[in-house]
Amino acid sequence: MSFDQARSSDLSARAKAFSVSSLIGAPLGSCDDSSDADASKHQPSVRLLDGDKDDDKFIPNQSIVGELLCRELWLEFHTLGTEMIITKAGRRMFPSLKVRLSGLDDEVLYIVYVDMDLVDDKRYRYIYQSSKWVPGGPGDVPHQERCFLHPDGPQLGKFWNKQSCVAFDKLKLTNNRKPSQRDQIPLHSMHRYQPKLYVQPIPSDCREAFNTCSDWWRTFCRRRSSATSLTFPETQFITVTAYQNQQITRLKIASNPFAKGFRESSREPRPSKLSSVVINEVPPTLIENDGYTESVTLMQTFLEKKSQAAECLQR
């Protein structure tokens, strides 16, 4: 019997699961199948705090289901090629990501967060003649921090199950490499992204750590073996600094209740002095049909008085 074999026989199943050889993937001596199964059963998928008693039950929950809300609106944008504005200060998504969750364990603590995955490693450009996005070259190196935690933080599964809408309307997209706010996700312009939702269980004694350290949850985001991921292909989008497709612009103006700036720009401008002079030269019949009779009459009176004043000055 070799030294490694003798050492492995003295270790318990749980000790084998956390041994150096087990962590790096190397076999630990000549263990039979029953020992490996026992060790894998006790090995936790998430272990960040010492003394966790519930970590052995954190395996991906296959019963978790997510339903995308406002799916019809997303499909309208997806048909045209969804574009999302990114700025230095951060711009909120429209349509915003809203889901309804079900199937979570009532007594397990969960966090829900969103990650933006690159669809491919290409940079895109818009062809105006064909109104299509086409690859325009290799893409940029993706940012490491692309996660946004839902503001409700860690909650029991029964809390998430009762929510009729889990909305990420506070999420902002930015092209700032080092965002200064927690609600911002840094992205590259002219790249295609796929939002991905994660529902991840955490140890029950981690709630206090979340309250004391605001960024402590990011440690879980790097170890997603226990998380359930939800992907909706119709939510893919291309990041831009200005809308390229005119149809996307019109659809956002019509659908977004907060698109006040776009609506004001589309309104009929108020007549200026220069336009009033032009209106004065329009035949009265056309002006009356457009409903400008009263304003033109006042303008004609103003012009007459102006000409009379000019004649007085010449005298």
Side-chain angles (χ1 to χ4, degrees):
M1 179 181 295
S2 62
F3 175 76
D4 291 339
Q5 292 176 345
R7 183 181 179 183
S8 62
S9 61
D10 296 336
L11 295 176
S12 62
R14 189 172 181 83
K16 292 177 183 178
F18 290 96
S19 64
V20 176
S21 300
S22 176
L23 292 176
I24 65 177
L28 183 62
S30 56
C31 299
D32 55 7
D33 296 338
S34 61
S35 299
D36 293 339
D38 191 17
S40 61
K41 181 178 67 175
H42 291 281
Q43 184 175 1
S45 57
V46 175
R47 183 176 179 83
L48 299 176
L49 296 179
D50 294 334
D52 295 336
K53 298 180 180 180
D54 300 331
D55 52 5
D56 57 341
K57 67 179 179 181
F58 290 147
I59 59 177
N61 189 347
Q62 302 298 331
S63 63
I64 295 179
V65 178
E67 176 188 356
L68 179 64
L69 304 181
C70 302
R71 185 172 182 270
E72 294 77 11
L73 182 60
W74 276 105
L75 287 174
E76 289 187 57
F77 282 100
H78 184 68
T79 303
L80 301 174
T82 310
E83 301 175 12
M84 293 290 180
I85 295 287
I86 59 174
T87 61
K88 289 292 184 182
R91 179 72 66 86
R92 293 184 179 180
M93 297 175 59
F94 183 84
S96 58
L97 191 61
K98 299 179 181 180
V99 297
R100 183 183 294 114
L101 299 175
S102 60
L104 286 73
D105 295 333
D106 289 343
E107 302 304 324
V108 176
L109 205 61
Y110 292 91
I111 57 173
V112 181
Y113 57 93
V114 172
D115 189 9
M116 298 295 176
D117 286 349
L118 278 170
V119 177
D120 49 40
D121 57 351
K122 297 181 177 59
R123 183 182 180 89
Y124 286 81
R125 61 189 182 94
Y126 187 75
I127 305 299
Y128 290 93
Q129 291 78 3
S130 58
S131 299
K132 293 182 179 179
W133 287 93
V134 297
D140 298 321
V141 179
H143 297 285
Q144 293 183 353
E145 301 295 340
R146 302 188 310 274
C147 298
F148 173 81
L149 177 68
H150 193 275
D152 288 339
Q155 296 288 346
L156 294 176
K158 58 184 178 182
F159 170 85
W160 300 111
N161 290 329
K162 291 180 180 179
Q163 301 301 309
S164 59
C165 175
V166 179
F168 292 87
D169 50 357
K170 303 296 183 182
L171 168 62
K172 293 182 180 180
L173 307 180
T174 179
N175 53 4
N176 190 357
R177 295 183 178 181
K178 296 181 179 180
S180 57
Q181 300 179 10
R182 294 177 55 193
D183 58 355
Q184 296 178 346
I185 291 184
L187 303 177
H188 293 297
S189 180
M190 300 297 181
H191 288 64
R192 190 185 297 275
Y193 289 91
Q194 170 65 66
K196 185 174 291 187
L197 183 69
Y198 288 93
V199 182
Q200 185 159 352
I202 61 173
S204 57
D205 52 357
C206 291
R207 186 190 293 268
E208 183 178 355
F210 271 79
N211 297 331
T212 56
C213 182
S214 59
D215 291 334
W216 189 74
W217 66 275
R218 296 185 183 275
T219 308
F220 287 94
C221 298
R222 299 185 181 96
R223 304 183 63 177
R224 298 174 179 170
S225 59
S226 62
T228 300
S229 62
L230 303 173
T231 304
F232 307 99
E234 56 270 30
T235 60
Q236 286 187 15
F237 61 87
I238 292 181
T239 52
V240 295
T241 54
Y243 292 122
Q244 305 297 307
N245 191 340
Q246 296 289 338
Q247 294 179 342
I248 290 291
T249 304
R250 288 193 289 266
L251 183 57
K252 293 216 175 189
I253 293 175
S255 306
N256 190 354
F258 299 100
K260 182 179 179 181
F262 290 104
R263 292 193 181 93
E264 289 180 350
S265 62
S266 62
R267 291 177 181 174
E268 185 176 354
R270 299 178 61 183
S272 59
K273 290 184 179 180
L274 181 60
S275 61
S276 300
V277 175
V278 176
I279 291 176
N280 189 41
E281 298 176 358
V282 179
T285 55
L286 297 179
I287 296 175
E288 291 176 2
N289 292 336
D290 291 339
Y292 288 102
T293 305
E294 182 178 356
S295 60
V296 171
T297 303
L298 295 176
M299 183 58 63
Q300 289 176 345
T301 305
F302 170 75
L303 292 175
E304 290 176 358
K305 292 183 177 181
K306 183 178 180 181
S307 61
Q308 293 175 1
E311 292 176 359
C312 295
L313 290 176
Q314 290 178 0
R315 295 176 185 176

